[in-house]
Amino acid sequence: MEIVIRADEHEVATTVADIVGGYVERGNAILGLATGSSPLGSYQELARRCREGELDFSTASAFLLDEYVGLPKDHPQSYFSVIRSEFVDHVNLDPTRVLSPNGEAGDIAGEGRRYDAAIAAAGGVDVQLLGIGTDGHIGFNEPGSALTSRTRVKTLTEQTRKDNARFFDGPEDVPHHVLTQGLGTINEAGHLVMIALGAGKADAIAAAAEGPLSAFCPASVMQWHRHVTVVIDEPAASKLKLADYYKYALANKPAWQSF
């Protein structure tokens, strides 16, 4: 796991865009897209590069991490809609090649298996963007999730529903259930890129990167992965015991070694 500590949100976004852009430039990239506030700056930077002719997404495809159960696709807060308004509509990525779990599926339990099969059939995700919740969740894998879990239905905690209420008319409008890629599914991506901003994420980042591997902090499953880059700002890094070493290692990184 490589911890990259940047001065501010802009530098975080630039670093993440450099990583994702590298995969896009190779052609036929399979991107794993996350919603939420953490990746917004990175999406804006990727869109700028596309708009200015630096990146071409025309051969890329994408899979989303999760979707609310029972929320229509055209609802403004469905992740199907959100990822299009925040990212896909601003780059030349074919919207029909951006797939998400179907929260309206008649067989919700079977939808998880279908989605995992679709990812596998595409050849797997090359680079997966991730945010992290204040309780250490990634995707909607709440604390207590099995570290080898697959895409499935999860019940949101009340805290997560309260955190997401700002996007709805009120907490009562936030669905209780979601379809989310499991921790085992997420860990099959070739490269995990976690983004965290602000002091409110500092405890979660410290637990994920330096704490024990535990279902109590779902993001700690990244410690098992062969290729992880955690890109955070100074406030989000404030609880890391080895922050000085991470900065030293980055400053002395071999010129040939990429993220």
Side-chain angles (χ1 to χ4, degrees):
M1 182 184 299
E2 182 173 20
I3 311 292
V4 179
I5 301 171
R6 296 306 197 197
D8 54 32
E9 183 174 353
H10 173 72
E11 290 190 8
V12 168
T14 299
T15 299
V16 173
D18 288 344
I19 296 170
V20 175
Y23 286 93
V24 173
E25 287 172 349
R26 297 172 201 173
N28 301 311
I30 308 294
L31 308 177
L33 302 179
T35 52
S37 58
S38 296
L40 284 179
S42 303
Y43 290 149
Q44 290 166 3
E45 175 61 16
L46 287 166
R48 182 196 66 78
R49 295 182 188 190
C50 181
R51 188 168 57 250
E52 297 183 7
E54 298 174 31
L55 284 177
D56 177 10
F57 289 83
S58 63
T59 66
S61 301
F63 288 90
L64 270 61
L65 272 176
D66 36 45
E67 183 58 276
Y68 288 112
V69 170
L71 210 61
K73 280 186 174 182
D74 59 0
H75 190 286
Q77 294 308 323
S78 76
Y79 292 137
F80 177 92
S81 295
V82 168
I83 201 63
R84 282 158 175 76
S85 64
E86 291 180 347
F87 179 56
V88 178
D89 290 348
H90 306 283
V91 296
N92 62 331
L93 174 56
D94 183 350
T96 66
R97 293 166 64 114
V98 180
L99 305 181
S100 57
N102 182 5
E104 300 178 277
D107 177 15
I108 287 293
E111 175 62 12
R113 294 189 294 273
R114 185 204 65 79
Y115 196 63
D116 278 352
I119 294 173
V125 170
D126 294 315
V127 56
Q128 175 67 62
L129 296 183
L130 297 167
I132 185 170
T134 55
D135 60 0
H137 75 254
I138 53 175
F140 275 119
N141 294 281
E142 302 282 19
S145 295
L147 299 180
T148 57
S149 54
R150 310 301 300 176
T151 301
R152 69 221 184 281
V153 174
K154 287 293 289 183
T155 301
L156 299 181
T157 65
E158 280 305 297
Q159 184 58 55
T160 298
R161 292 183 71 238
K162 289 176 182 176
D163 289 345
N164 288 2
R166 67 189 187 275
F167 302 117
F168 292 81
D169 292 335
E172 67 281 356
D173 294 322
V174 182
H176 284 272
H177 300 101
V178 292
L179 273 163
T180 185
Q181 285 189 37
L183 298 174
T185 304
I186 290 169
N187 244 21
E188 289 175 352
H191 186 179
L192 304 182
V193 179
M194 172 165 281
I195 308 164
L197 303 167
K201 300 295 179 72
D203 286 327
I205 285 293
E210 296 180 342
L213 179 66
S214 167
F216 189 75
C217 177
S220 67
V221 76
M222 296 188 304
Q223 296 176 25
W224 261 345
H225 199 278
R226 63 194 178 278
H227 190 186
V228 179
T229 309
V230 178
V231 190
I232 54 180
D233 62 7
E234 288 282 359
S238 61
K239 299 292 183 69
L240 290 171
K241 295 177 181 178
L242 299 177
D244 287 343
Y245 171 71
Y246 303 140
K247 293 177 181 178
Y248 175 83
L250 185 64
N252 291 278
K253 190 171 183 173
W256 52 263
Q257 191 177 57
S258 61
F259 287 116

